């Protein structure tokens, strides 16, 4: 079955989910003009909803937060519309565990009218990782991206093996319902801003929640902040670091408990 167009959707504060979804698309060997990347990381981008038809393909990638799909995406995901549009669901996690996130994403897209035909879990550098306390640093690495391209090729083969979406088998992925785990994140003051800060505004631009004051980057709305660490990782002056507290404690737990590299998995 021929796809008229492919939409790659990602929510990716620190960029790992975006790199994975782009790797998958590369492996599908799609012609220029067929693929559209819809990055829903910023609040402005999430104002536009998604509507797709049966001769299109959705590839969606989100990070795992507390073993779940990030709760802030509930509204945007719940507004998606599709008519038997084949969908590939991808979660990216920081080498701890993805728990029920892949199943949850699969179920959400199915409820919105998509046909989940494949799923995968990749490893991305942990949001809390730093040079001093690295977890899955540099991932997705070259091997992960090779895996992503191979997976993209398998998705293309599955689509090309049928003449209509009615012949496509739905994918089964690991996980259990109820998904459990916590979806409310910490409400903490955990970012320290040093004198290196020149108020360039990059932190406010990259914040997926609009939680950083664009006129004073030290002012962070703790209630809006989801501790994604995009502002820390993307600061061009390395002026933002973690203060001691629960996020730093989690960072330290990760380096001791989850040092063994996990490997990507796909289901098709
Ligand atoms: C609030 C929060 C919760 C997280 N929970 C998990 C988790 O349960 N398991 C895990 O392995 N990684 C977890 N991570 C790490 C991210 O899933 C991982 O770093 C991912 O690659 C980030 O994606 P991005 O680069 O697209 O933002 C969490 C990160 C944050 C910020």
């Amino acid at each position: 079955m021929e796809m008229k167009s492919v939409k790659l959707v990602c929510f990716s504060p620190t960029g790992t989910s975006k790199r994975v979804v782009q790797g998958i698309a590369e492996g599908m060997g799609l012609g220029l003009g067929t693929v559209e990347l819809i990055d829903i990381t910023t609040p402005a981008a999430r104002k536009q909803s998604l509507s797709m038809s049966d001769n299109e393909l959705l590839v969606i990638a989100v990070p795992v937060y507390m073993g779940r799909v990030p709760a802030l995406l509930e509204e945007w995901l719940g507004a998606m519309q599709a008519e038997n549009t084949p969908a590939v669901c991808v979660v990216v996690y920081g080498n701890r565990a993805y728990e029920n996130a892949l199943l949850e994403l699969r179920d959400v897209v199915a409820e919105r009218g998509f046909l989940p035909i494949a799923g995968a879990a990749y490893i991305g550098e942990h949001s809390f990782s730093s040079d001093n306390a690295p977890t899955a640093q540099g991932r997705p690495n070259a091997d992960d991206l090779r895996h992503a391209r191979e997976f993209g090729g398998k998705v293309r083969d599955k689509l090309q093996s049928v003449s209509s979406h009615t012949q496509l088998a739905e994918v089964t992925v690991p996980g259990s319902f109820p998904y459990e785990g916590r979806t409310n994140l910490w409400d903490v003051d955990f970012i320290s801003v040093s004198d290196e800060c020149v108020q360039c505004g990059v932190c406010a631009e990259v914040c997926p929640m609009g939680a950083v004051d664009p006129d004073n980057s030290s002012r962070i709305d703790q209630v809006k902040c989801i501790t994604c660490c995009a502002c820390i990782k993307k600061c061009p002056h390395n002026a933002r670091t973690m203060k001691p507290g629960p996020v730093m404690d989690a960072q330290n737990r990760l380096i001791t408990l989850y040092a063994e590299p996990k490997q990507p998995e796909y289901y098709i």
Side-chain angles (χ1 to χ4, degrees):
M1 120 181 223
E2 282 303 317
M3 292 287 118
K4 191 178 79 163
S5 76
V6 179
K7 290 195 166 81
L8 310 176
V9 171
C10 67
F11 171 76
S12 191
T14 61
T16 62
S17 307
K18 187 171 184 168
R19 279 161 59 208
V20 168
V21 86
Q22 286 174 321
I24 295 169
E26 226 178 279
M28 292 175 75
L30 301 153
L32 279 176
T34 341
V35 189
E36 185 187 352
L37 176 67
I38 302 172
D39 184 336
I40 56 164
T41 307
T42 62
R46 291 194 299 277
K47 289 206 169 107
Q48 184 84 37
S49 56
L50 183 75
S51 179
M52 294 183 69
S53 61
D54 63 355
N55 55 1
E56 296 182 287
L57 173 71
L58 169 71
V59 185
I60 181 165
V62 302
V64 175
Y65 284 180
M66 309 289 189
R68 300 284 303 268
V69 170
L72 74 110
L73 296 177
E74 203 176 310
E75 193 182 331
W76 191 88
L77 294 170
M80 294 186 300
Q81 287 184 344
E83 277 177 52
N84 296 313
T85 311
V88 178
C89 300
V90 181
V91 294
V92 181
Y93 68 105
N95 204 57
R96 186 187 69 79
Y98 62 93
E99 293 174 78
N100 297 317
L102 184 56
L103 177 68
E104 185 180 9
L105 185 62
R106 182 215 170 279
D107 292 349
V108 168
V109 304
E111 269 164 35
R112 302 312 308 153
F114 291 90
L115 200 66
I117 60 155
Y122 283 88
I123 296 86
E125 174 166 324
H126 202 290
S127 316
F128 303 162
S129 170
S130 67
D131 287 347
N132 297 336
T135 297
Q137 202 172 32
R139 297 190 72 183
N141 56 25
D143 287 341
D144 297 321
L145 293 174
R146 192 174 310 115
H147 185 287
R149 288 192 295 274
E150 278 171 21
F151 174 54
K154 290 194 187 300
V155 170
R156 180 202 51 216
D157 293 348
K158 179 165 180 172
L159 288 165
Q160 285 181 348
S161 70
V162 299
S163 54
S164 150
H165 65 76
T166 54
Q167 298 160 306
L168 285 168
E170 282 202 26
V171 72
T172 304
V173 298
S176 60
F177 181 83
Y179 313 119
E180 291 169 352
R182 43 175 291 176
T183 54
N184 58 322
L185 303 172
W186 290 298
D187 177 356
V188 281
D189 167 20
F190 81 107
I191 298 168
S192 153
V193 183
S194 77
D195 293 345
E196 301 294 313
C197 173
V198 296
Q199 298 294 339
C200 68
V202 168
C203 49
E205 268 168 41
V206 301
C207 176
M209 302 306 290
V212 183
D213 185 338
D215 299 320
N216 179 355
S217 72
S218 302
R219 288 182 53 175
I220 302 152
D221 184 331
Q222 242 171 262
V223 177
K224 284 188 185 166
C225 172
I226 53 166
T227 69
C228 73
C229 299
C231 65
I232 297 181
K233 290 196 171 183
K234 293 186 178 174
C235 172
H237 302 280
N238 294 321
R240 300 170 87 84
T241 48
M242 241 183 231
K243 285 181 186 170
V247 184
M248 193 184 263
D249 292 347
Q251 180 192 52
N252 286 325
R253 270 197 309 277
L254 287 164
I255 54 172
T256 47
L257 297 175
Y258 303 102
E260 183 66 32
K262 304 244 163 58
Q263 296 310 320
E265 295 159 36
Y266 69 78
Y267 303 88
I268 190 155

